[in-house]
Amino acid sequence: MIQAPDDIYLALQRQLYYEARILSAAQYDEWLAMLADNINYAMEMPQRRFKEDRTPDRAPRKTPIFDDDMAALKMRIARFNTGFVWAENPINAIRHIVSSVEVFETDDTNQFSVYSIIEVHRSRLDAERKRLTAGRQDIWQKTGSEFKLLTRTATLDDGVVLDSNINFFF
Amino acid sequence: MSELDDLIDFKTGRQKRVIYSDPDIYEQELEKIFARSWLFVAHECQIKEPGDFIRTFMGEDEVLVVRQKDDSVKAFLNTCTHRGNRLCKADHGNSKTFVCNYHGWGFGTDGALNGVPLEKEAYYNKLDKGKFGLIEVAQIKNYKGLIFATFDEEAPSLEEYLGEMKWYLDVWLDAMPEGTELIGTAMKVELPVNWKLPVENVSGDGYHLGWAHAGAMSVTTSMSVGGLEVGNTGTDNDGAVSVAGLNGHTVLAALDGQSGYGFYPDPKIAVDYLQANRKTVVDRLGEFRGTKMWGSQINMTVFPNLQMLPGLNWFRIYHPKGPGKFEMWTWAMVDKEMSDDLKQMILDNVSRTFGPAGLFDNDDGDNLQAITEQSHGWRTRQMDVYTNMAIGAEHSREEMPGVISDGLVCEQNQRYVYRRWLEMMKADSWDDIPQYNSLEEARATEAK
């Protein structure tokens, strides 16, 4: 894989930090504005299989935690905006920490493949601390001086989800 | 009267909060309920070929459910008979043997101990391997695709255990000729909640929908579901029923034949599927179930820990992990005859509504966690909680079995879940656990 030029790398790293800040602040209209109209935002339910077991999954389909297009993401955000999501009132403090950012060129000169790790810290209720980690593989589309997120495939590390809701994005 | 009688008052709909927090009560639940009940362990589609296995739980006991060479199914405790190590760590897959990581003892898919390292040198060939096979469950049985097992040799047959609940289960399991399948793997979430709270919630609590899930309902609803309204301002008592008195199993059902797909933003292909196959289902299940129930939003609960919602199409089991914790495993379940597009739409919708990031499911965790925590305090654990809605509204109906109350907003079903809980907790043997499948039988067997 070919490393992206430094100016692209810096611009996309800035973009990821900015995205992390607005996701933590639940500024979802701004987040939607940085997504391509044909976004695919996906996260699969992890499975534990033996390494040597090469038999295909009996389940015919991958199981999503997220497999969202723009309409589905807007539906999630519309739910938050109803004011009826009692679990988020008072707000739960949340921090998105992005690290291990790598940017590579792709066959399309205007698209870049971006790997990163996202660590989500939530402080919930009285003394409840939740920490979820995931790897992310993105494709960002460059249009003029702007970048839009075209696809995000996040890989959750836990085989059992350790929070009773995912009222946030990775 | 035993001490347990004070915990539940079926007549007035009262439960002592201590049942959600007390470690001693939880230990009794493992023995009296989970060790005796028929528990769901696998759908037959998950283990199609010989050597296919699923790792799951019966109560807190870990079991391996394995397809045999003769196509039968066995379930074993997932523990090495030598020193007690966990045998298999994978969630599912296919294997010819299960080899323990500790000393290398190897077991066949039939549970037999086949390989013991240094058998000659260290055991002097005196180990009777026939006595160290994996420990099987006492009984295992398939009901129309769903495989259940029990640790209790004395438990009644699965058919008897399910009783007239079978009549309702068939609205999903036997509606279409080819039956059902799970698509995708289990979506697993751990919650700091007593296991009974989600069971009673889904068994009968239509009351919380318009309030706890007001945000999710606002953005997903495309058709009326039992007349429920955002903000808890409406319900339709004529168009839906709560059904209980089925050996502890319950059903909450709209009777419109399509509202199962009411929480899909664009349910057209699902509604088309219902129309195209309505006649088939009426031929198989009769006019009432075929037109009023098939396609409707229905919550089915098989006591103690299995729930399935045709329409929303989720299938779920709760594994207890102590008085204040459980794991929830959710799958999408579909009719095999459905088109690939419809199956994919259902899988996406199950994930989007009731998966780990589900628009509905994400509303319940904090409420149920708080109830668990509000049963711990020195003062709160002495307090009661109530399921006293619509007391005295019970009746029977010619067209369907069980004890009926009108509407989705009704706490009859929760009262019957707790009645069954008490019956099993008090009983020394199955002879003391009453069987009832109608209003008359439920009344005749009610504890004095």
Side-chain angles (χ1 to χ4, degrees):
Chain A
M1 286 191 293
I2 300 164
Q3 297 276 356
D6 286 357
D7 59 331
I8 297 287
Y9 178 82
L10 270 177
L12 277 167
Q13 194 181 55
R14 273 195 204 107
Q15 184 85 350
L16 293 188
Y17 288 159
Y18 169 60
E19 185 196 18
R21 176 159 57 84
I22 64 171
L23 284 177
S24 294
Q27 291 168 354
Y28 292 127
D29 289 341
E30 285 173 54
W31 187 57
L32 287 173
M34 71 168 71
L35 309 180
D37 290 339
N38 54 342
I39 173 95
N40 177 250
Y41 178 89
M43 175 184 261
E44 254 175 44
M45 189 68 215
Q47 301 174 47
R48 307 286 190 238
R49 300 271 318 253
F50 282 127
K51 290 176 187 171
E52 68 278 11
D53 183 355
R54 300 287 176 206
T55 52
D57 280 345
R58 300 301 177 215
R61 285 172 171 76
K62 299 293 183 190
T63 304
I65 294 175
F66 292 95
D67 187 8
D68 288 356
D69 58 11
M70 183 59 98
L73 290 171
K74 283 183 172 170
M75 186 163 73
R76 290 184 190 277
I77 289 163
R79 168 174 167 267
F80 294 137
N81 291 340
T82 60
F84 298 144
V85 181
W86 316 124
E88 299 306 308
N89 187 10
I91 62 159
N92 299 300
I94 184 167
R95 302 287 174 199
H96 289 71
I97 302 167
V98 183
S99 64
S100 300
V101 178
E102 295 178 279
V103 181
F104 299 99
E105 293 185 350
T106 69
D107 293 339
D108 184 325
T109 53
N110 287 315
Q111 292 185 0
F112 296 91
S113 176
V114 181
Y115 293 85
S116 61
I117 292 171
I118 187 90
E119 188 176 352
V120 179
H121 285 257
R122 301 178 87 197
S123 288
R124 305 236 291 125
L125 304 168
D126 287 336
E128 201 172 290
R129 162 61 68 84
K130 302 286 185 183
R131 178 173 171 268
L132 298 173
T133 56
R136 300 190 305 190
Q137 187 177 350
D138 298 346
I139 299 287
W140 288 82
Q141 167 91 41
K142 189 169 187 296
T143 312
S145 61
E146 267 194 345
F147 288 97
K148 296 252 186 190
L149 180 61
L150 190 60
T151 67
R152 169 162 295 162
T153 307
T155 306
L156 187 68
D157 294 331
D158 302 305
V160 177
V161 178
L162 295 172
D163 201 346
S164 61
N165 70 52
I166 303 184
N167 281 332
F168 59 89
F169 296 98
F170 288 92
Chain B
M1 289 280 282
S2 88
E3 279 176 28
L4 290 163
D5 281 304
D6 187 41
L7 300 175
I8 304 291
D9 188 341
F10 173 68
K11 272 195 168 32
T12 61
R14 176 188 63 76
Q15 301 88 41
K16 273 258 178 289
R17 295 189 186 199
V18 70
I19 66 172
Y20 305 116
S21 59
D22 186 280
D24 293 334
I25 291 175
Y26 174 75
E27 287 303 318
Q28 289 179 59
E29 290 176 335
L30 290 183
E31 176 190 345
K32 301 281 193 178
I33 295 175
F34 286 95
R36 296 201 292 199
S37 296
W38 280 94
L39 303 172
F40 170 80
V41 292
H43 192 294
E44 62 184 9
C45 72
Q46 294 176 289
I47 43 173
K48 288 175 182 151
E49 306 292 333
D52 280 3
F53 67 89
I54 284 277
R55 187 171 64 90
T56 185
F57 294 87
M58 293 171 63
E60 287 207 42
D61 288 299
E62 211 168 301
V63 293
L64 280 179
V65 189
V66 190
R67 179 70 68 178
Q68 302 296 299
K69 286 174 187 155
D70 66 0
D71 206 41
S72 66
V73 174
K74 289 187 175 185
F76 311 102
L77 287 167
N78 182 27
T79 188
C80 182
T81 52
H82 173 220
R83 298 300 306 149
N85 190 20
R86 172 180 288 106
L87 198 57
C88 172
K89 295 194 294 178
D91 297 339
H92 56 93
N94 182 283
S95 194
K96 289 188 170 60
T97 61
F98 297 103
V99 178
C100 178
N101 290 345
Y102 199 2
H103 305 95
W105 280 28
F107 300 86
T109 53
D110 60 352
L113 175 59
N114 294 334
V116 174
L118 304 179
E119 187 177 359
K120 178 167 169 248
E121 297 85 341
Y123 284 99
Y124 302 98
N125 275 334
K126 285 182 180 167
L127 183 71
D128 183 353
K129 294 211 289 293
K131 287 186 176 159
F132 290 91
L134 297 180
I135 303 302
E136 274 188 68
V137 298
Q139 301 186 58
I140 188 161
K141 190 83 200 293
N142 183 328
Y143 183 76
K144 299 189 179 180
L146 309 189
I147 302 168
F148 292 82
T150 175
F151 287 126
D152 190 354
E153 285 171 9
E154 308 295 321
S157 71
L158 176 61
E159 298 255 332
E160 195 183 335
Y161 179 87
L162 293 172
E164 289 290 332
M165 185 64 193
K166 297 193 292 288
W167 191 87
Y168 293 99
L169 290 173
D170 288 355
V171 172
W172 201 359
L173 303 179
D174 208 11
M176 292 293 286
E178 290 181 32
T180 60
E181 64 181 353
L182 301 179
I183 47 174
T185 51
M187 296 178 259
K188 301 179 180 179
V189 182
E190 180 189 279
L191 292 106
V193 173
N194 183 269
W195 68 272
K196 294 185 289 300
L197 291 164
V199 174
E200 66 142 76
N201 171 281
V202 176
S203 80
D205 195 329
Y207 192 31
H208 82 296
L209 233 90
W211 194 262
H213 298 301
M217 271 184 76
S218 298
V219 300
T220 59
T221 307
S222 58
M223 296 188 271
S224 171
V225 177
L228 300 177
E229 300 277 354
V230 171
N232 236 0
T233 55
T235 184
D236 173 12
N237 277 354
D238 297 328
V241 285
S242 298
V243 188
L246 304 162
N247 283 345
H249 317 303
T250 64
V251 178
L252 192 66
L255 297 172
D256 50 49
Q258 64 172 15
S259 57
Y261 298 91
F263 295 138
Y264 287 63
D266 183 9
K268 185 175 182 308
I269 60 171
V271 173
D272 289 348
Y273 170 81
L274 294 174
Q275 280 171 359
N277 294 285
R278 183 78 64 190
K279 187 178 175 307
T280 305
V281 177
V282 169
D283 288 346
R284 295 171 63 82
L285 299 178
E287 187 73 17
F288 183 79
R289 283 185 294 175
T291 59
K292 299 284 189 190
M293 300 199 77
W294 190 64
S296 295
Q297 177 48 42
I298 307 181
N299 293 17
M300 301 180 181
T301 300
V302 175
F303 189 89
N305 65 338
L306 173 67
Q307 300 192 307
M308 54 191 110
L309 273 69
L312 280 165
N313 283 68
W314 60 254
F315 185 95
R316 177 177 283 178
I317 186 155
Y318 309 94
H319 298 303
K321 304 282 176 191
K325 195 156 82 175
F326 69 86
E327 255 180 49
M328 175 165 84
W329 294 9
T330 307
W331 292 265
M333 189 161 88
V334 297
D335 299 342
K336 282 185 188 160
E337 287 93 340
M338 285 174 168
S339 68
D340 282 349
D341 285 352
L342 179 52
K343 285 177 181 174
Q344 190 63 47
M345 181 177 90
I346 286 170
L347 178 60
D348 287 343
N349 200 70
V350 169
S351 168
R352 202 166 290 146
T353 52
F354 285 91
L359 301 171
F360 283 82
D361 225 72
N362 284 353
D363 294 323
D364 286 322
D366 281 9
N367 288 336
L368 302 185
Q369 177 179 349
I371 294 168
T372 304
E373 290 167 358
Q374 298 295 331
S375 306
H376 270 290
W378 174 82
R379 184 67 187 87
T380 50
R381 69 178 175 242
Q382 304 172 55
M383 289 170 63
D384 297 323
V385 285
Y386 299 93
T387 51
N388 54 1
M389 188 183 279
I391 283 179
E394 297 180 1
H395 55 276
S396 46
R397 286 199 193 176
E398 237 172 52
E399 63 273 30
M400 55 182 128
V403 178
I404 317 286
S405 286
D406 295 332
L408 300 179
V409 181
C410 173
E411 290 170 342
Q412 166 194 281
N413 289 4
Q414 293 97 309
R415 289 194 289 280
Y416 273 92
V417 168
Y418 286 113
R419 170 176 163 173
R420 192 53 161 191
W421 181 87
L422 183 62
E423 287 166 349
M424 291 200 74
M425 289 287 277
K426 284 171 67 178
D428 291 326
S429 78
W430 272 99
D431 293 339
D432 303 325
I433 301 171
Q435 305 292 314
Y436 44 86
N437 285 286
S438 66
L439 184 61
E440 295 69 36
E441 290 171 5
R443 284 188 173 153
T445 53
E446 195 179 322
K448 296 293 175 284

